[in-house]
Amino acid sequence: MPKPGLEELLELEVKCEKYWEGAHAKFEEDEEYYELEFAKRLDIPEEFKAEALVLPTGRDHVDSFVDHIDIANARVKVNKLSSTDISVERAEMMRKFYTGLIYRTNVEADISPWRVAAKHYALHGVAIMGTFWDADRWPDKPKQKGESEEDYNIRLDEWRNQTHESLPIVIQSINPRNVMLDPSYGGRRFVFEKHPMLVYDIRNKWPKWENPQNKRLDEEADYIKYFDRNYRCEWIDKEPLLRDGVVKHNYGFIPYVVIDSGLGNISSDGKLEKRYVGLLRYIYDLLVAESRMFSLNDLVLK
């Protein structure tokens, strides 16, 4: 793909949002049933609504499925570039590095991204993992400032120790509701990721952001980023956060991995809400009926 312009990306994001509207609505409905927030659907008589009971059947289905996904024993395999000893040693070294990266991601995160991805996989029928370089996690190399060579070498040694302890590679599990994949047939040419953020947090992270809509600190703005194979862009309220707007990222690939559950169907009309289907998608009515019957039986017994 050629380098896109900012205006082109702004238009493309709006079109993708429209195309993903149905799937995103279903993802929100999945969460409503998983979080047991569907008491209003039970149609309990008004005078007894406060006593309605929502059973955790749907939540149990999802959590039991996730418990059967082994996220603790990842197997890593690295292909050798050739049959030489150097290639074999390189492949083994990279295998150990990737294994360590997975382990470190698990122990350093508040909650394992693999566990979060497994839950998205069961609940929405798709898990999305993002792998990014975070320069803030890599200490800057110190510059020599009028000090002796010996003192500077001491500071360099300290910096080297810090780099050995730092890992600027971040692996995240991203909620499918916040992602818009290329919707074209046989696509995957680009990805949008969109999150609401408080203006207060935006100001702290990007102090040069000009707040073009003059939002208050307690209001939210949409943070959006775009990736294709070669370029990336980030913006808030149509204002780009990168100095040159759209820049080359040098990853050499799109840093998102999409894992499809296969529970859905690639339908003839190409609707994404039919492709990405979780465990609860077609038992909404059963979950409502079960909770309604239990609630009414409980009220009658009372």
Side-chain angles (χ1 to χ4, degrees):
M1 293 178 63
K3 181 179 179 178
L6 179 61
E7 291 300 323
E8 179 185 352
L9 293 182
L10 293 174
E11 293 178 8
L12 181 61
E13 189 274 329
V14 172
K15 292 177 181 177
C16 283
E17 185 112 36
K18 188 70 177 175
Y19 194 85
W20 276 87
E21 193 173 40
H24 285 168
K26 285 299 182 182
F27 292 160
E28 290 175 3
E29 202 169 357
D30 291 337
E31 288 195 355
E32 180 183 337
Y33 281 90
Y34 179 75
E35 300 296 345
L36 310 182
E37 295 173 346
F38 58 93
K40 61 181 180 294
R41 299 177 184 266
L42 302 186
D43 294 328
I44 300 297
E46 193 66 36
E47 62 268 31
F48 301 118
K49 274 192 174 180
E51 299 181 67
L53 298 172
V54 175
L55 300 181
T57 306
R59 194 176 183 96
D60 287 344
H61 282 339
V62 171
D63 290 345
S64 296
F65 186 97
V66 173
D67 288 339
H68 283 81
I69 299 176
D70 186 1
I71 60 171
N73 301 293
R75 289 178 300 228
V76 179
K77 181 180 179 181
V78 178
N79 292 328
K80 299 188 291 290
L81 299 178
S82 66
S83 59
T84 63
D85 292 341
I86 293 177
S87 182
V88 172
E89 291 175 6
R90 175 194 172 278
E92 178 61 15
M93 179 184 68
M94 297 309 297
R95 186 192 68 80
K96 290 178 179 178
F97 171 73
Y98 297 142
T99 303
L101 179 60
I102 293 172
Y103 173 77
R104 187 161 178 172
T105 299
N106 266 330
V107 299
E108 288 186 348
D110 293 334
I111 178 173
S112 167
W114 317 106
R115 174 80 182 184
V116 177
K119 188 158 291 190
H120 294 159
Y121 180 86
L123 181 59
H124 302 306
V126 61
I128 300 174
M129 305 292 290
T131 306
F132 307 100
W133 171 272
D134 185 355
D136 291 337
R137 295 190 176 202
W138 191 257
D140 294 330
K141 185 177 180 180
K143 295 181 179 179
Q144 192 170 6
K145 299 177 181 178
E147 58 195 327
S148 68
E149 199 68 32
E150 184 179 352
D151 290 340
Y152 179 60
N153 286 333
I154 292 174
R155 289 207 299 133
L156 276 181
D157 288 339
E158 292 175 354
W159 170 75
R160 292 189 187 98
N161 287 332
Q162 288 178 334
T163 58
H164 292 160
E165 296 171 358
S166 302
L167 188 64
I169 301 173
V170 179
I171 301 176
Q172 301 172 334
S173 175
I174 304 163
N175 194 302
R177 175 62 183 85
N178 300 114
V179 176
M180 292 175 286
L181 307 170
D182 174 10
S184 61
Y185 184 79
R188 296 296 186 274
R189 296 179 304 160
F190 61 82
V191 175
F192 284 102
E193 185 180 345
K194 182 176 182 179
H195 298 272
M197 289 183 69
L198 280 175
V199 172
Y200 174 80
D201 294 329
I202 296 170
R203 282 292 193 193
N204 286 335
K205 190 167 184 179
W206 296 284
K208 293 184 179 181
W209 180 61
E210 295 181 358
N211 192 4
Q213 298 183 14
N214 295 316
K215 291 183 175 178
R216 301 190 310 271
L217 291 179
D218 60 344
E219 290 186 295
E220 287 186 340
D222 286 326
Y223 164 67
I224 304 173
K225 59 183 175 182
Y226 163 90
F227 272 93
D228 61 31
R229 188 177 296 275
N230 298 311
Y231 299 98
R232 72 183 182 99
C233 183
E234 300 175 55
W235 67 87
I236 300 173
D237 286 347
K238 299 185 179 181
E239 181 187 337
L241 298 173
L242 304 174
R243 185 175 56 187
D244 297 325
V246 182
V247 299
K248 201 162 187 176
H249 55 64
N250 294 323
Y251 285 6
F253 55 89
I254 299 175
Y256 293 86
V257 174
V258 181
I259 309 168
D260 193 328
S261 70
L263 295 175
N265 177 43
I266 300 180
S267 61
S268 58
D269 55 13
K271 289 189 175 180
L272 298 175
E273 57 267 34
K274 295 180 182 178
R275 173 168 182 172
Y276 301 116
V277 174
L279 292 179
L280 308 183
R281 184 68 55 82
Y282 297 122
I283 62 170
Y284 291 162
D285 291 343
L286 288 175
L287 296 174
V288 170
E290 181 191 41
S291 291
R292 181 190 298 122
M293 285 190 294
F294 191 93
S295 297
L296 293 176
N297 285 337
D298 185 59
L299 287 168
V300 169
L301 286 174
K302 285 180 180 178

PDB file of all heavy atoms in Angstrom, residues 121-146:
ATOM      1  N   TYR A 121     -11.838 -14.609  23.321  1.00  0.00           N
ATOM      2  CA  TYR A 121     -12.005 -15.707  22.358  1.00  0.00           C
ATOM      3  C   TYR A 121     -13.316 -16.443  22.619  1.00  0.00           C
ATOM      4  O   TYR A 121     -14.076 -16.738  21.697  1.00  0.00           O
ATOM      5  CB  TYR A 121     -10.815 -16.644  22.500  1.00  0.00           C
ATOM      6  CG  TYR A 121     -10.787 -17.841  21.594  1.00  0.00           C
ATOM      7  CD1 TYR A 121     -10.257 -17.753  20.314  1.00  0.00           C
ATOM      8  CD2 TYR A 121     -11.246 -19.084  22.023  1.00  0.00           C
ATOM      9  CE1 TYR A 121     -10.199 -18.861  19.483  1.00  0.00           C
ATOM     10  CE2 TYR A 121     -11.197 -20.196  21.209  1.00  0.00           C
ATOM     11  CZ  TYR A 121     -10.680 -20.081  19.933  1.00  0.00           C
ATOM     12  OH  TYR A 121     -10.627 -21.179  19.121  1.00  0.00           O
ATOM     13  N   ALA A 122     -13.597 -16.725  23.916  1.00  0.00           N
ATOM     14  CA  ALA A 122     -14.811 -17.462  24.269  1.00  0.00           C
ATOM     15  C   ALA A 122     -16.048 -16.576  24.195  1.00  0.00           C
ATOM     16  O   ALA A 122     -17.113 -17.020  23.756  1.00  0.00           O
ATOM     17  CB  ALA A 122     -14.667 -18.039  25.682  1.00  0.00           C
ATOM     18  N   LEU A 123     -15.914 -15.320  24.623  1.00  0.00           N
ATOM     19  CA  LEU A 123     -17.074 -14.433  24.729  1.00  0.00           C
ATOM     20  C   LEU A 123     -17.481 -13.828  23.394  1.00  0.00           C
ATOM     21  O   LEU A 123     -18.675 -13.754  23.075  1.00  0.00           O
ATOM     22  CB  LEU A 123     -16.775 -13.325  25.743  1.00  0.00           C
ATOM     23  CG  LEU A 123     -17.883 -12.314  26.019  1.00  0.00           C
ATOM     24  CD1 LEU A 123     -19.134 -13.018  26.536  1.00  0.00           C
ATOM     25  CD2 LEU A 123     -17.407 -11.266  27.015  1.00  0.00           C
ATOM     26  N   HIS A 124     -16.503 -13.389  22.601  1.00  0.00           N
ATOM     27  CA  HIS A 124     -16.803 -12.688  21.347  1.00  0.00           C
ATOM     28  C   HIS A 124     -16.478 -13.513  20.103  1.00  0.00           C
ATOM     29  O   HIS A 124     -16.817 -13.103  18.994  1.00  0.00           O
ATOM     30  CB  HIS A 124     -16.019 -11.376  21.278  1.00  0.00           C
ATOM     31  CG  HIS A 124     -16.301 -10.440  22.412  1.00  0.00           C
ATOM     32  ND1 HIS A 124     -17.580 -10.042  22.745  1.00  0.00           N
ATOM     33  CD2 HIS A 124     -15.476  -9.824  23.298  1.00  0.00           C
ATOM     34  CE1 HIS A 124     -17.525  -9.207  23.775  1.00  0.00           C
ATOM     35  NE2 HIS A 124     -16.266  -9.064  24.131  1.00  0.00           N
ATOM     36  N   GLY A 125     -15.775 -14.617  20.282  1.00  0.00           N
ATOM     37  CA  GLY A 125     -15.417 -15.433  19.122  1.00  0.00           C
ATOM     38  C   GLY A 125     -14.164 -14.974  18.411  1.00  0.00           C
ATOM     39  O   GLY A 125     -13.839 -15.473  17.338  1.00  0.00           O
ATOM     40  N   VAL A 126     -13.445 -14.016  18.988  1.00  0.00           N
ATOM     41  CA  VAL A 126     -12.199 -13.547  18.390  1.00  0.00           C
ATOM     42  C   VAL A 126     -11.319 -12.959  19.486  1.00  0.00           C
ATOM     43  O   VAL A 126     -11.805 -12.311  20.408  1.00  0.00           O
ATOM     44  CB  VAL A 126     -12.475 -12.492  17.281  1.00  0.00           C
ATOM     45  CG1 VAL A 126     -13.192 -11.269  17.841  1.00  0.00           C
ATOM     46  CG2 VAL A 126     -11.199 -12.086  16.571  1.00  0.00           C
ATOM     47  N   ALA A 127     -10.025 -13.244  19.406  1.00  0.00           N
ATOM     48  CA  ALA A 127      -9.037 -12.659  20.316  1.00  0.00           C
ATOM     49  C   ALA A 127      -8.044 -11.873  19.468  1.00  0.00           C
ATOM     50  O   ALA A 127      -7.648 -12.320  18.387  1.00  0.00           O
ATOM     51  CB  ALA A 127      -8.318 -13.753  21.103  1.00  0.00           C
ATOM     52  N   ILE A 128      -7.662 -10.700  19.967  1.00  0.00           N
ATOM     53  CA  ILE A 128      -6.744  -9.832  19.223  1.00  0.00           C
ATOM     54  C   ILE A 128      -5.578  -9.468  20.130  1.00  0.00           C
ATOM     55  O   ILE A 128      -5.770  -8.894  21.205  1.00  0.00           O
ATOM     56  CB  ILE A 128      -7.455  -8.562  18.724  1.00  0.00           C
ATOM     57  CG1 ILE A 128      -8.616  -8.950  17.794  1.00  0.00           C
ATOM     58  CG2 ILE A 128      -6.481  -7.650  17.991  1.00  0.00           C
ATOM     59  CD1 ILE A 128      -9.474  -7.792  17.350  1.00  0.00           C
ATOM     60  N   MET A 129      -4.371  -9.822  19.701  1.00  0.00           N
ATOM     61  CA  MET A 129      -3.156  -9.518  20.448  1.00  0.00           C
ATOM     62  C   MET A 129      -2.350  -8.474  19.684  1.00  0.00           C
ATOM     63  O   MET A 129      -2.221  -8.548  18.462  1.00  0.00           O
ATOM     64  CB  MET A 129      -2.299 -10.779  20.629  1.00  0.00           C
ATOM     65  CG  MET A 129      -3.010 -11.958  21.271  1.00  0.00           C
ATOM     66  SD  MET A 129      -3.421 -11.681  22.995  1.00  0.00           S
ATOM     67  CE  MET A 129      -1.788 -11.718  23.746  1.00  0.00           C
ATOM     68  N   GLY A 130      -1.829  -7.506  20.423  1.00  0.00           N
ATOM     69  CA  GLY A 130      -0.978  -6.484  19.818  1.00  0.00           C
ATOM     70  C   GLY A 130       0.414  -6.536  20.429  1.00  0.00           C
ATOM     71  O   GLY A 130       0.557  -6.701  21.653  1.00  0.00           O
ATOM     72  N   THR A 131       1.440  -6.425  19.606  1.00  0.00           N
ATOM     73  CA  THR A 131       2.830  -6.432  20.074  1.00  0.00           C
ATOM     74  C   THR A 131       3.496  -5.148  19.601  1.00  0.00           C
ATOM     75  O   THR A 131       3.582  -4.897  18.395  1.00  0.00           O
ATOM     76  CB  THR A 131       3.594  -7.652  19.504  1.00  0.00           C
ATOM     77  OG1 THR A 131       2.872  -8.842  19.824  1.00  0.00           O
ATOM     78  CG2 THR A 131       4.978  -7.738  20.121  1.00  0.00           C
ATOM     79  N   PHE A 132       3.957  -4.343  20.570  1.00  0.00           N
ATOM     80  CA  PHE A 132       4.465  -3.013  20.232  1.00  0.00           C
ATOM     81  C   PHE A 132       5.803  -2.744  20.911  1.00  0.00           C
ATOM     82  O   PHE A 132       6.093  -3.279  21.984  1.00  0.00           O
ATOM     83  CB  PHE A 132       3.460  -1.929  20.667  1.00  0.00           C
ATOM     84  CG  PHE A 132       2.076  -2.148  20.141  1.00  0.00           C
ATOM     85  CD1 PHE A 132       1.095  -2.709  20.947  1.00  0.00           C
ATOM     86  CD2 PHE A 132       1.754  -1.797  18.842  1.00  0.00           C
ATOM     87  CE1 PHE A 132      -0.184  -2.911  20.470  1.00  0.00           C
ATOM     88  CE2 PHE A 132       0.478  -1.998  18.345  1.00  0.00           C
ATOM     89  CZ  PHE A 132      -0.489  -2.562  19.165  1.00  0.00           C
ATOM     90  N   TRP A 133       6.574  -1.898  20.277  1.00  0.00           N
ATOM     91  CA  TRP A 133       7.818  -1.383  20.872  1.00  0.00           C
ATOM     92  C   TRP A 133       7.465  -0.149  21.692  1.00  0.00           C
ATOM     93  O   TRP A 133       6.855   0.795  21.181  1.00  0.00           O
ATOM     94  CB  TRP A 133       8.816  -1.027  19.771  1.00  0.00           C
ATOM     95  CG  TRP A 133      10.035  -0.304  20.272  1.00  0.00           C
ATOM     96  CD1 TRP A 133      10.193   1.044  20.438  1.00  0.00           C
ATOM     97  CD2 TRP A 133      11.270  -0.901  20.672  1.00  0.00           C
ATOM     98  NE1 TRP A 133      11.445   1.334  20.912  1.00  0.00           N
ATOM     99  CE2 TRP A 133      12.134   0.147  21.076  1.00  0.00           C
ATOM    100  CE3 TRP A 133      11.741  -2.204  20.742  1.00  0.00           C
ATOM    101  CZ2 TRP A 133      13.426  -0.066  21.527  1.00  0.00           C
ATOM    102  CZ3 TRP A 133      13.025  -2.425  21.189  1.00  0.00           C
ATOM    103  CH2 TRP A 133      13.858  -1.379  21.570  1.00  0.00           C
ATOM    104  N   ASP A 134       7.839  -0.145  22.972  1.00  0.00           N
ATOM    105  CA  ASP A 134       7.563   0.985  23.867  1.00  0.00           C
ATOM    106  C   ASP A 134       8.889   1.640  24.240  1.00  0.00           C
ATOM    107  O   ASP A 134       9.605   1.167  25.128  1.00  0.00           O
ATOM    108  CB  ASP A 134       6.828   0.504  25.115  1.00  0.00           C
ATOM    109  CG  ASP A 134       6.397   1.656  26.018  1.00  0.00           C
ATOM    110  OD1 ASP A 134       6.758   2.816  25.709  1.00  0.00           O
ATOM    111  OD2 ASP A 134       5.710   1.402  27.022  1.00  0.00           O
ATOM    112  N   ALA A 135       9.207   2.735  23.562  1.00  0.00           N
ATOM    113  CA  ALA A 135      10.498   3.396  23.779  1.00  0.00           C
ATOM    114  C   ALA A 135      10.641   3.926  25.205  1.00  0.00           C
ATOM    115  O   ALA A 135      11.766   4.082  25.698  1.00  0.00           O
ATOM    116  CB  ALA A 135      10.668   4.539  22.782  1.00  0.00           C
ATOM    117  N   ASP A 136       9.519   4.208  25.880  1.00  0.00           N
ATOM    118  CA  ASP A 136       9.590   4.721  27.251  1.00  0.00           C
ATOM    119  C   ASP A 136      10.164   3.693  28.221  1.00  0.00           C
ATOM    120  O   ASP A 136      10.584   4.037  29.325  1.00  0.00           O
ATOM    121  CB  ASP A 136       8.198   5.147  27.733  1.00  0.00           C
ATOM    122  CG  ASP A 136       7.702   6.379  26.996  1.00  0.00           C
ATOM    123  OD1 ASP A 136       8.552   7.127  26.477  1.00  0.00           O
ATOM    124  OD2 ASP A 136       6.480   6.582  26.924  1.00  0.00           O
ATOM    125  N   ARG A 137      10.141   2.420  27.822  1.00  0.00           N
ATOM    126  CA  ARG A 137      10.681   1.366  28.688  1.00  0.00           C
ATOM    127  C   ARG A 137      12.182   1.130  28.466  1.00  0.00           C
ATOM    128  O   ARG A 137      12.775   0.279  29.119  1.00  0.00           O
ATOM    129  CB  ARG A 137       9.938   0.052  28.440  1.00  0.00           C
ATOM    130  CG  ARG A 137       8.473   0.092  28.834  1.00  0.00           C
ATOM    131  CD  ARG A 137       7.884  -1.291  28.781  1.00  0.00           C
ATOM    132  NE  ARG A 137       6.500  -1.300  29.241  1.00  0.00           N
ATOM    133  CZ  ARG A 137       5.887  -2.387  29.695  1.00  0.00           C
ATOM    134  NH1 ARG A 137       6.537  -3.530  29.756  1.00  0.00           N
ATOM    135  NH2 ARG A 137       4.633  -2.329  30.080  1.00  0.00           N
ATOM    136  N   TRP A 138      12.753   1.849  27.528  1.00  0.00           N
ATOM    137  CA  TRP A 138      14.170   1.661  27.204  1.00  0.00           C
ATOM    138  C   TRP A 138      14.935   2.910  27.624  1.00  0.00           C
ATOM    139  O   TRP A 138      14.688   3.997  27.094  1.00  0.00           O
ATOM    140  CB  TRP A 138      14.330   1.411  25.713  1.00  0.00           C
ATOM    141  CG  TRP A 138      15.694   0.950  25.305  1.00  0.00           C
ATOM    142  CD1 TRP A 138      16.668   1.694  24.706  1.00  0.00           C
ATOM    143  CD2 TRP A 138      16.255  -0.344  25.451  1.00  0.00           C
ATOM    144  NE1 TRP A 138      17.783   0.943  24.480  1.00  0.00           N
ATOM    145  CE2 TRP A 138      17.562  -0.322  24.928  1.00  0.00           C
ATOM    146  CE3 TRP A 138      15.776  -1.544  25.992  1.00  0.00           C
ATOM    147  CZ2 TRP A 138      18.390  -1.439  24.922  1.00  0.00           C
ATOM    148  CZ3 TRP A 138      16.604  -2.651  25.978  1.00  0.00           C
ATOM    149  CH2 TRP A 138      17.893  -2.593  25.455  1.00  0.00           C
ATOM    150  N   PRO A 139      15.861   2.824  28.578  1.00  0.00           N
ATOM    151  CA  PRO A 139      16.562   4.022  29.067  1.00  0.00           C
ATOM    152  C   PRO A 139      17.449   4.637  27.990  1.00  0.00           C
ATOM    153  O   PRO A 139      18.077   3.929  27.197  1.00  0.00           O
ATOM    154  CB  PRO A 139      17.389   3.489  30.244  1.00  0.00           C
ATOM    155  CG  PRO A 139      17.552   2.028  29.978  1.00  0.00           C
ATOM    156  CD  PRO A 139      16.305   1.583  29.272  1.00  0.00           C
ATOM    157  N   ASP A 140      17.482   5.965  27.968  1.00  0.00           N
ATOM    158  CA  ASP A 140      18.313   6.683  26.995  1.00  0.00           C
ATOM    159  C   ASP A 140      19.796   6.516  27.326  1.00  0.00           C
ATOM    160  O   ASP A 140      20.194   6.543  28.496  1.00  0.00           O
ATOM    161  CB  ASP A 140      17.974   8.172  27.000  1.00  0.00           C
ATOM    162  CG  ASP A 140      16.565   8.423  26.490  1.00  0.00           C
ATOM    163  OD1 ASP A 140      16.097   7.635  25.651  1.00  0.00           O
ATOM    164  OD2 ASP A 140      15.940   9.403  26.938  1.00  0.00           O
ATOM    165  N   LYS A 141      20.595   6.351  26.282  1.00  0.00           N
ATOM    166  CA  LYS A 141      22.038   6.235  26.489  1.00  0.00           C
ATOM    167  C   LYS A 141      22.588   7.576  26.987  1.00  0.00           C
ATOM    168  O   LYS A 141      22.317   8.622  26.396  1.00  0.00           O
ATOM    169  CB  LYS A 141      22.723   5.837  25.182  1.00  0.00           C
ATOM    170  CG  LYS A 141      24.221   5.587  25.334  1.00  0.00           C
ATOM    171  CD  LYS A 141      24.817   5.131  24.017  1.00  0.00           C
ATOM    172  CE  LYS A 141      26.313   4.872  24.156  1.00  0.00           C
ATOM    173  NZ  LYS A 141      26.910   4.419  22.885  1.00  0.00           N
ATOM    174  N   PRO A 142      23.366   7.582  28.086  1.00  0.00           N
ATOM    175  CA  PRO A 142      23.881   8.849  28.621  1.00  0.00           C
ATOM    176  C   PRO A 142      24.913   9.477  27.682  1.00  0.00           C
ATOM    177  O   PRO A 142      25.653   8.783  26.989  1.00  0.00           O
ATOM    178  CB  PRO A 142      24.517   8.435  29.954  1.00  0.00           C
ATOM    179  CG  PRO A 142      24.871   6.994  29.778  1.00  0.00           C
ATOM    180  CD  PRO A 142      23.804   6.414  28.894  1.00  0.00           C
ATOM    181  N   LYS A 143      24.925  10.812  27.677  1.00  0.00           N
ATOM    182  CA  LYS A 143      25.902  11.542  26.871  1.00  0.00           C
ATOM    183  C   LYS A 143      27.009  12.082  27.778  1.00  0.00           C
ATOM    184  O   LYS A 143      26.758  12.449  28.925  1.00  0.00           O
ATOM    185  CB  LYS A 143      25.216  12.690  26.137  1.00  0.00           C
ATOM    186  CG  LYS A 143      24.192  12.219  25.113  1.00  0.00           C
ATOM    187  CD  LYS A 143      23.566  13.408  24.398  1.00  0.00           C
ATOM    188  CE  LYS A 143      22.551  12.929  23.359  1.00  0.00           C
ATOM    189  NZ  LYS A 143      21.906  14.069  22.660  1.00  0.00           N
ATOM    190  N   GLN A 144      28.202  12.114  27.258  1.00  0.00           N
ATOM    191  CA  GLN A 144      29.345  12.614  28.030  1.00  0.00           C
ATOM    192  C   GLN A 144      29.265  14.138  28.140  1.00  0.00           C
ATOM    193  O   GLN A 144      29.170  14.841  27.145  1.00  0.00           O
ATOM    194  CB  GLN A 144      30.660  12.187  27.380  1.00  0.00           C
ATOM    195  CG  GLN A 144      31.871  12.408  28.262  1.00  0.00           C
ATOM    196  CD  GLN A 144      33.108  11.741  27.688  1.00  0.00           C
ATOM    197  OE1 GLN A 144      33.085  11.215  26.575  1.00  0.00           O
ATOM    198  NE2 GLN A 144      34.195  11.741  28.455  1.00  0.00           N
ATOM    199  N   LYS A 145      29.286  14.636  29.373  1.00  0.00           N
ATOM    200  CA  LYS A 145      29.132  16.068  29.627  1.00  0.00           C
ATOM    201  C   LYS A 145      30.293  16.590  30.476  1.00  0.00           C
ATOM    202  O   LYS A 145      30.187  16.717  31.693  1.00  0.00           O
ATOM    203  CB  LYS A 145      27.807  16.344  30.337  1.00  0.00           C
ATOM    204  CG  LYS A 145      26.582  15.933  29.536  1.00  0.00           C
ATOM    205  CD  LYS A 145      25.309  16.175  30.321  1.00  0.00           C
ATOM    206  CE  LYS A 145      24.076  15.749  29.524  1.00  0.00           C
ATOM    207  NZ  LYS A 145      22.832  15.950  30.316  1.00  0.00           N
ATOM    208  N   GLY A 146      31.427  16.851  29.846  1.00  0.00           N
ATOM    209  CA  GLY A 146      32.561  17.453  30.525  1.00  0.00           C
ATOM    210  C   GLY A 146      33.143  16.629  31.649  1.00  0.00           C
ATOM    211  O   GLY A 146      33.838  17.148  32.525  1.00  0.00           O
TER     212      GLY A 146
END
